[in-house]
PDB file of all heavy atoms in Angstrom:
ATOM      1  N   LEU C  83      27.650  97.261 -21.060  1.00  0.00           N
ATOM      2  CA  LEU C  83      26.767  96.375 -20.380  1.00  0.00           C
ATOM      3  C   LEU C  83      26.449  96.892 -18.986  1.00  0.00           C
ATOM      4  O   LEU C  83      27.405  97.116 -18.228  1.00  0.00           O
ATOM      5  CB  LEU C  83      27.395  95.079 -20.404  1.00  0.00           C
ATOM      6  CG  LEU C  83      26.447  93.850 -19.753  1.00  0.00           C
ATOM      7  CD1 LEU C  83      25.251  93.598 -20.591  1.00  0.00           C
ATOM      8  CD2 LEU C  83      27.235  92.596 -19.532  1.00  0.00           C
ATOM      9  N   ILE C  84      25.265  96.953 -18.654  1.00  0.00           N
ATOM     10  CA  ILE C  84      24.775  97.417 -17.298  1.00  0.00           C
ATOM     11  C   ILE C  84      24.042  96.229 -16.534  1.00  0.00           C
ATOM     12  O   ILE C  84      23.071  95.817 -17.087  1.00  0.00           O
ATOM     13  CB  ILE C  84      23.883  98.756 -17.372  1.00  0.00           C
ATOM     14  CG1 ILE C  84      24.612  99.793 -18.073  1.00  0.00           C
ATOM     15  CG2 ILE C  84      23.486  99.179 -16.020  1.00  0.00           C
ATOM     16  CD1 ILE C  84      23.772 100.923 -18.344  1.00  0.00           C
ATOM     17  N   VAL C  85      24.544  95.814 -15.540  1.00  0.00           N
ATOM     18  CA  VAL C  85      24.010  94.846 -14.794  1.00  0.00           C
ATOM     19  C   VAL C  85      23.894  95.281 -13.268  1.00  0.00           C
ATOM     20  O   VAL C  85      24.876  95.383 -12.535  1.00  0.00           O
ATOM     21  CB  VAL C  85      24.789  93.391 -14.756  1.00  0.00           C
ATOM     22  CG1 VAL C  85      23.983  92.254 -14.018  1.00  0.00           C
ATOM     23  CG2 VAL C  85      25.034  93.048 -16.112  1.00  0.00           C
ATOM     24  N   GLY C  86      22.627  95.595 -12.879  1.00  0.00           N
ATOM     25  CA  GLY C  86      22.437  96.239 -11.532  1.00  0.00           C
ATOM     26  C   GLY C  86      23.193  97.517 -11.496  1.00  0.00           C
ATOM     27  O   GLY C  86      22.950  98.390 -12.298  1.00  0.00           O
ATOM     28  N   ALA C  87      24.093  97.647 -10.525  1.00  0.00           N
ATOM     29  CA  ALA C  87      24.875  98.942 -10.520  1.00  0.00           C
ATOM     30  C   ALA C  87      26.102  98.827 -11.288  1.00  0.00           C
ATOM     31  O   ALA C  87      26.826  99.871 -11.338  1.00  0.00           O
ATOM     32  CB  ALA C  87      25.058  99.303  -8.995  1.00  0.00           C
ATOM     33  N   GLU C  88      26.537  97.690 -11.847  1.00  0.00           N
ATOM     34  CA  GLU C  88      27.712  97.591 -12.405  1.00  0.00           C
ATOM     35  C   GLU C  88      27.722  97.847 -13.901  1.00  0.00           C
ATOM     36  O   GLU C  88      26.823  97.494 -14.644  1.00  0.00           O
ATOM     37  CB  GLU C  88      28.272  96.078 -12.287  1.00  0.00           C
ATOM     38  CG  GLU C  88      29.569  95.766 -12.840  1.00  0.00           C
ATOM     39  CD  GLU C  88      29.886  94.333 -12.891  1.00  0.00           C
ATOM     40  OE1 GLU C  88      28.998  93.498 -12.266  1.00  0.00           O
ATOM     41  OE2 GLU C  88      30.910  93.858 -13.435  1.00  0.00           O
ATOM     42  N   ARG C  89      28.655  98.801 -14.316  1.00  0.00           N
ATOM     43  CA  ARG C  89      28.699  99.148 -15.770  1.00  0.00           C
ATOM     44  C   ARG C  89      30.030  98.722 -16.291  1.00  0.00           C
ATOM     45  O   ARG C  89      31.037  99.023 -15.695  1.00  0.00           O
ATOM     46  CB  ARG C  89      28.623 100.777 -15.890  1.00  0.00           C
ATOM     47  CG  ARG C  89      27.169 101.282 -15.620  1.00  0.00           C
ATOM     48  CD  ARG C  89      27.260 102.869 -15.694  1.00  0.00           C
ATOM     49  NE  ARG C  89      25.947 103.261 -15.622  1.00  0.00           N
ATOM     50  CZ  ARG C  89      25.342 104.049 -16.362  1.00  0.00           C
ATOM     51  NH1 ARG C  89      26.182 104.617 -17.374  1.00  0.00           N
ATOM     52  NH2 ARG C  89      24.248 104.474 -16.312  1.00  0.00           N
ATOM     53  N   THR C  90      29.919  98.107 -17.513  1.00  0.00           N
ATOM     54  CA  THR C  90      31.205  97.650 -18.065  1.00  0.00           C
ATOM     55  C   THR C  90      31.237  98.067 -19.516  1.00  0.00           C
ATOM     56  O   THR C  90      30.188  97.968 -20.218  1.00  0.00           O
ATOM     57  CB  THR C  90      31.318  96.137 -18.144  1.00  0.00           C
ATOM     58  OG1 THR C  90      30.846  95.577 -16.787  1.00  0.00           O
ATOM     59  CG2 THR C  90      32.794  95.656 -18.369  1.00  0.00           C
ATOM     60  N   GLU C  91      32.381  98.745 -19.994  1.00  0.00           N
ATOM     61  CA  GLU C  91      32.365  99.283 -21.331  1.00  0.00           C
ATOM     62  C   GLU C  91      33.308  98.336 -22.115  1.00  0.00           C
ATOM     63  O   GLU C  91      34.202  97.773 -21.713  1.00  0.00           O
ATOM     64  CB  GLU C  91      33.051 100.682 -21.276  1.00  0.00           C
ATOM     65  CG  GLU C  91      32.288 101.688 -20.549  1.00  0.00           C
ATOM     66  CD  GLU C  91      31.205 102.415 -21.352  1.00  0.00           C
ATOM     67  OE1 GLU C  91      31.127 102.154 -22.547  1.00  0.00           O
ATOM     68  OE2 GLU C  91      30.402 103.140 -20.776  1.00  0.00           O
ATOM     69  N   PHE C  92      32.948  98.033 -23.340  1.00  0.00           N
ATOM     70  CA  PHE C  92      33.697  97.336 -24.230  1.00  0.00           C
ATOM     71  C   PHE C  92      34.003  98.074 -25.542  1.00  0.00           C
ATOM     72  O   PHE C  92      33.041  98.263 -26.412  1.00  0.00           O
ATOM     73  CB  PHE C  92      32.939  96.007 -24.657  1.00  0.00           C
ATOM     74  CG  PHE C  92      32.488  95.215 -23.422  1.00  0.00           C
ATOM     75  CD1 PHE C  92      31.279  95.290 -22.837  1.00  0.00           C
ATOM     76  CD2 PHE C  92      33.424  94.271 -22.983  1.00  0.00           C
ATOM     77  CE1 PHE C  92      30.857  94.530 -21.789  1.00  0.00           C
ATOM     78  CE2 PHE C  92      33.024  93.518 -21.892  1.00  0.00           C
ATOM     79  CZ  PHE C  92      31.816  93.648 -21.228  1.00  0.00           C
ATOM     80  N   ALA C  93      35.076  98.715 -25.601  1.00  0.00           N
ATOM     81  CA  ALA C  93      35.393  99.702 -26.720  1.00  0.00           C
ATOM     82  C   ALA C  93      35.605  98.859 -27.945  1.00  0.00           C
ATOM     83  O   ALA C  93      36.032  97.655 -27.921  1.00  0.00           O
ATOM     84  CB  ALA C  93      36.719 100.529 -26.428  1.00  0.00           C
ATOM     85  N   LYS C  94      35.334  99.464 -29.005  1.00  0.00           N
ATOM     86  CA  LYS C  94      35.708  98.813 -30.438  1.00  0.00           C
ATOM     87  C   LYS C  94      37.158  98.461 -30.567  1.00  0.00           C
ATOM     88  O   LYS C  94      38.073  99.175 -30.057  1.00  0.00           O
ATOM     89  CB  LYS C  94      35.275  99.651 -31.568  1.00  0.00           C
ATOM     90  CG  LYS C  94      33.884  99.617 -31.834  1.00  0.00           C
ATOM     91  CD  LYS C  94      33.529 100.318 -33.114  1.00  0.00           C
ATOM     92  CE  LYS C  94      32.154 100.131 -33.687  1.00  0.00           C
ATOM     93  NZ  LYS C  94      31.868 100.962 -34.831  1.00  0.00           N
ATOM     94  N   LYS C  95      37.501  97.280 -31.198  1.00  0.00           N
ATOM     95  CA  LYS C  95      38.886  96.881 -31.334  1.00  0.00           C
ATOM     96  C   LYS C  95      38.971  96.786 -32.947  1.00  0.00           C
ATOM     97  O   LYS C  95      38.323  95.978 -33.642  1.00  0.00           O
ATOM     98  CB  LYS C  95      39.190  95.538 -30.845  1.00  0.00           C
ATOM     99  CG  LYS C  95      39.483  95.616 -29.347  1.00  0.00           C
ATOM    100  CD  LYS C  95      40.006  94.226 -28.809  1.00  0.00           C
ATOM    101  CE  LYS C  95      40.401  94.330 -27.285  1.00  0.00           C
ATOM    102  NZ  LYS C  95      40.550  92.956 -26.765  1.00  0.00           N
ATOM    103  N   ASN C  96      39.974  97.584 -33.438  1.00  0.00           N
ATOM    104  CA  ASN C  96      40.229  97.588 -34.901  1.00  0.00           C
ATOM    105  C   ASN C  96      39.009  97.959 -35.689  1.00  0.00           C
ATOM    106  O   ASN C  96      38.773  97.350 -36.722  1.00  0.00           O
ATOM    107  CB  ASN C  96      40.863  96.330 -35.376  1.00  0.00           C
ATOM    108  CG  ASN C  96      42.198  96.008 -34.715  1.00  0.00           C
ATOM    109  OD1 ASN C  96      42.905  96.878 -34.309  1.00  0.00           O
ATOM    110  ND2 ASN C  96      42.434  94.786 -34.398  1.00  0.00           N
ATOM    111  N   GLY C  97      38.165  98.814 -35.113  1.00  0.00           N
ATOM    112  CA  GLY C  97      36.973  99.220 -35.825  1.00  0.00           C
ATOM    113  C   GLY C  97      35.792  98.251 -35.736  1.00  0.00           C
ATOM    114  O   GLY C  97      34.734  98.460 -36.288  1.00  0.00           O
ATOM    115  N   ALA C  98      36.050  97.061 -35.017  1.00  0.00           N
ATOM    116  CA  ALA C  98      34.861  96.110 -34.941  1.00  0.00           C
ATOM    117  C   ALA C  98      34.411  95.947 -33.477  1.00  0.00           C
ATOM    118  O   ALA C  98      35.326  96.221 -32.533  1.00  0.00           O
ATOM    119  CB  ALA C  98      35.281  94.712 -35.519  1.00  0.00           C
TER     120      ALA C  98
END
Side-chain angles (χ1 to χ4, degrees):
Chain C
L83 183 68
I84 302 172
V85 183
E88 186 190 352
R89 286 177 173 230
T90 318
E91 299 274 351
F92 304 94
K94 274 186 171 178
K95 277 186 179 172
N96 302 324

